[in-house]
Amino acid sequence: MTRRLSPAERLASAEKDLLLEDIADQSSWDRFLVEQAVFHYGTRHDEFSANDLRDVLPELAHGFLGAVINSLRTAGVIEHTGRVVPSTLANTHGHRIGVWKLSVKGWVIAQQRRARHTPTEAAA
C-alpha cells in the first residue's frame, strides 16, 4: 500500500519540480559557457570547485551551475576528488561544495575541442 503525501509534501515536491523545470529551460548558450569554463579551468588547474567557476562566469540562474556540474559528473567528464570546501556564495552560509577534477574522458574532450579551434600552420 502506497503512503499518501501530506499537502506540505505535495507542495514541496511541486516546488522542486518547478525549480528543475526552470533549470532545464536555461539556454544551451548558458550550458555551453559553463562547460567551456569547466574545460578551460580543468585543463589549467588540478582541482576546481563551483567557487572557482563562479569567478569566471557571468551571472547564471540559481542552481544552473550545480546542475551542469552534476550533469558533467554523471557523464564521466569530471570526477569528485573526495574533498569539499565551503561555498563562497553569501546566501549559502558556507555550505560545503565538492572539489572536482577532469576525468580522462574530460581531458580527451578538452583536447579535441582545443584542436578544433586552434589555427593550423597552413592557415597562418
Side-chain angles (χ1 to χ4, degrees):
M1 179 173 207
T2 304
R3 183 177 82 81
R4 294 180 66 161
L5 297 176
S6 71
E9 290 170 322
R10 285 194 304 273
L11 179 60
S13 178
E15 286 177 3
K16 181 184 78 169
D17 290 343
L18 287 175
L19 177 59
L20 290 174
E21 255 180 57
D22 289 344
I23 291 169
D25 286 343
Q26 293 298 314
S27 75
S28 59
W29 180 249
D30 287 344
R31 179 179 176 83
F32 176 77
L33 284 175
V34 173
E35 288 176 355
Q36 286 303 103
V38 166
F39 288 125
H40 182 80
Y41 208 91
T43 58
R44 286 158 179 79
H45 303 277
D46 293 334
E47 300 177 342
F48 58 91
S49 71
N51 293 335
D52 302 310
L53 298 175
R54 273 196 304 273
D55 290 342
V56 299
L57 289 169
E59 183 92 17
L60 297 171
H62 172 75
F64 190 63
L65 178 57
V68 173
I69 286 175
N70 190 44
S71 173
L72 292 171
R73 179 198 53 82
T74 302
V77 174
I78 60 174
E79 50 193 41
H80 198 273
T81 64
R83 294 185 333 103
V84 293
V85 295
S87 173
T88 57
L89 196 59
N91 65 356
T92 64
H93 306 289
H95 178 77
R96 308 298 279 176
I97 58 173
V99 176
W100 305 94
K101 66 179 183 175
L102 285 180
S103 66
V104 171
K105 179 180 180 179
W107 275 101
V108 169
I109 293 169
Q111 296 305 323
Q112 289 171 342
R113 286 183 175 199
R114 182 177 293 157
R116 277 194 306 236
H117 294 36
T118 302
T120 62
E121 289 181 28

